[in-house]
Amino acid sequence: MRITMPTAVIEGTQLTVMPFRADAVIGTMSVPTLVQLVPSPRREEDTKTLNAASGAVRRHAELRALVQRALKSTQKGKNVGSYAEYIADGVNGELGAGWSTPPITFWHAGPLAALSDELLPGTGLRTVTITPGTSVVAIDGETQTTAWHELYDDPERFGLTYAELAQVRVPFELYVDLSVADARQIFYDRNVQGVAVAKNLAMSMDQRDFATRLAHRVAEAVKMDIDGRLVPFTKFVNASKRQVGKAEPEVVTLSAMRALVITAIYGKGGLSRSAETVHEDELPAATTSEQVERCVVPVLARLIAEHSAHFLSRSALTAPAVLAGLGIAVHHTTPWADPSNALSADALDRLLAGIRWEREARYWDGVAAKAGVSGRLNFSGGVKDSGGRVADALLYPGTEAGRRIRGQ
């Protein structure tokens, strides 16, 4: 008598997915599944840990090295801790709905163990099975993958529990049975083909940044008189570009408004902060966020309203460096400014009264802009390059630059 063997059962991790091409699917997985399926990249770069690891983990590390860059001693690795804290804040509800992590791109190095039929006809939903020990590598989103490992290794350190992490769903896309060459190409395309967002522009989108919030409030506080009709200044602020085109209705960028706010708060010290997040606990000594807002917003709103014609005509006043210089001058009127350089609001108005805001080389060449061979001005020098020179010209009328911008 021969004993028949049981019907083969395919074991492994099952994921519910939606195919979007013949060799790729999308879906979500739990955090426990993620950390079980994909080994920690940080541990795979630890020689001692790797030597003691299983053969499957060592093989995974070798494969990962073919398609990924190193974490150790790189900025990528340094970002893991802050990324984990960001995710923890989001999971804890501290960021409201204003937080997000992109889907992680995984590479399944080999064929799937099993692919089911459609779970519900017409939906495209299927179940894929990944056998234990199969190499699944993050070819895009590895910093996030490492951050999830950090969170799951010690959730209490981040104010979380295993139960809370188990409820989180992590979006992913999974490429199946691709060659190493194809996986490398996807890594290249994801990291090189996209255009990086300029840091100043990115900062102007950060609603948790104190300076960005104040820039919005300043714009909201101003009403422009257009043919007898009051129009909110927000209509003339472009929040999505580094520069405003001639054919566009906006006259100034939000990043330029942010530079105005930052220098009004910090003075010349704000020039180096234009591309940094402004936290409320980093405001000038003996000030609060409420005090800074009560002081800065009305002053800047008044100046914009009084110079509305210069803004609408796209004069030199709309250039980021000029606005930064103006912010430095405004800083001297704040209660927290150095008393030896303090200015009254009336004194500031007198200093600004004679400024020639026209975009002409005879006024702004060498101060906030450079004139080309044709005489056309280029204001692209930037906040850090020219903001200080503009401030000195505004504050000291007797200097050569001060006389120049006053047409003397």
Side-chain angles (χ1 to χ4, degrees):
M1 173 182 175
R2 293 178 60 84
I3 300 174
T4 58
M5 299 298 292
T7 304
V9 175
I10 299 174
E11 298 179 343
T13 302
Q14 290 192 334
L15 301 172
T16 301
V17 299
M18 169 79 76
F20 64 91
R21 70 184 212 190
D23 53 9
V25 298
I26 57 174
T28 66
M29 67 175 72
S30 69
V31 177
T33 299
L34 169 61
V35 298
Q36 181 184 41
L37 200 59
V38 187
S40 167
R42 195 188 290 283
R43 289 199 196 95
E44 289 191 342
E45 291 185 6
D46 185 310
T47 305
K48 291 183 179 179
T49 302
L50 195 60
N51 287 339
S54 66
V57 172
R58 291 198 300 274
R59 288 191 296 274
H60 185 280
E62 292 172 0
L63 195 63
R64 170 189 171 269
L66 296 176
V67 296
Q68 261 297 350
R69 51 185 170 160
L71 277 170
K72 192 174 182 179
S73 302
T74 65
Q75 187 59 48
K76 176 184 174 183
K78 293 176 183 176
N79 287 343
V80 171
S82 58
Y83 205 156
E85 290 174 358
Y86 169 76
I87 294 173
D89 288 344
V91 174
N92 280 324
E94 295 177 15
L95 304 180
W99 74 286
S100 173
T101 57
I104 302 173
T105 301
F106 293 120
W107 167 42
H108 184 287
L112 293 166
L115 174 65
S116 75
D117 294 330
E118 282 187 306
L119 301 179
L120 187 64
T123 65
L125 290 173
R126 299 170 185 266
T127 297
V128 298
T129 303
I130 299 173
T131 53
T134 300
S135 289
V136 178
V137 178
I139 51 177
D140 191 47
E142 189 178 62
T143 305
Q144 183 188 159
T145 300
T146 312
W148 284 116
H149 272 277
E150 297 278 309
L151 289 167
Y152 204 73
D153 284 346
D154 189 3
E156 290 81 8
R157 179 161 67 95
F158 297 93
L160 293 169
T161 65
Y162 286 110
E164 288 172 326
L165 285 174
Q167 298 300 313
V168 176
R169 304 296 299 180
V170 181
F172 69 90
E173 54 180 342
L174 178 69
Y175 289 82
V176 179
D177 203 15
L178 300 186
S179 67
V180 171
D182 286 337
R184 282 175 171 167
Q185 189 63 50
I186 291 175
F187 173 88
Y188 173 87
D189 292 347
R190 291 297 177 89
N191 288 279
V192 178
Q193 295 285 28
V195 178
V197 178
K199 194 168 184 180
N200 279 352
L201 175 58
M203 291 303 306
S204 71
M205 298 291 186
D206 185 2
Q207 299 309 297
R208 285 186 291 275
D209 174 66
F210 182 68
T212 297
R213 297 203 306 271
L214 249 59
H216 280 292
R217 291 196 178 116
V218 170
E220 292 164 359
V222 180
K223 299 294 185 290
M224 310 290 269
D225 188 342
I226 309 295
D227 299 327
R229 184 168 55 93
L230 293 179
V231 179
F233 186 58
T234 51
K235 299 277 188 185
F236 302 98
V237 178
N238 190 311
S240 62
K241 292 185 177 181
R242 292 182 63 191
Q243 295 181 338
V244 177
K246 291 182 179 179
E248 292 171 325
E250 298 89 357
V251 299
V252 67
T253 63
L254 183 60
S255 60
M257 290 288 293
R258 187 174 176 276
L260 171 65
V261 167
I262 290 176
T263 51
I265 295 172
Y266 296 102
K268 281 192 176 180
L271 296 175
S272 62
R273 290 175 171 262
S274 60
E276 298 177 0
T277 300
V278 175
H279 299 285
E280 293 184 24
D281 58 1
E282 298 174 343
L283 293 174
T287 66
T288 64
S289 58
E290 292 79 10
Q291 179 188 9
V292 170
E293 181 174 349
R294 285 197 306 269
C295 176
V296 168
V297 171
V299 171
L300 296 183
R302 178 180 66 82
L303 285 175
I304 293 172
E306 290 176 353
H307 293 82
S308 59
H310 298 299
F311 276 94
L312 295 176
S313 65
R314 300 171 185 260
S315 73
L317 187 52
T318 60
V322 177
L323 285 174
L326 177 61
I328 294 171
V330 169
H331 172 76
H332 292 297
T333 69
T334 63
W336 57 88
D338 183 348
S340 63
N341 295 316
L343 280 177
S344 66
D346 290 341
L348 177 62
D349 289 342
R350 288 194 295 271
L351 287 172
L352 300 179
I355 306 298
R356 302 302 300 263
W357 299 110
E358 300 93 328
R359 282 181 177 253
E360 295 184 18
R362 53 180 169 163
Y363 305 132
W364 295 100
D365 183 25
V367 181
K370 293 182 179 179
V373 177
S374 64
R376 183 176 179 273
L377 278 179
N378 183 351
F379 282 86
S380 63
V383 168
K384 293 181 182 179
D385 295 336
S386 305
R389 288 198 301 271
V390 172
D392 290 342
L394 294 174
L395 292 168
Y396 306 110
T399 62
E400 180 182 349
R403 291 193 298 271
R404 175 182 284 271
I405 65 172
R406 290 170 175 83
Q408 298 172 358

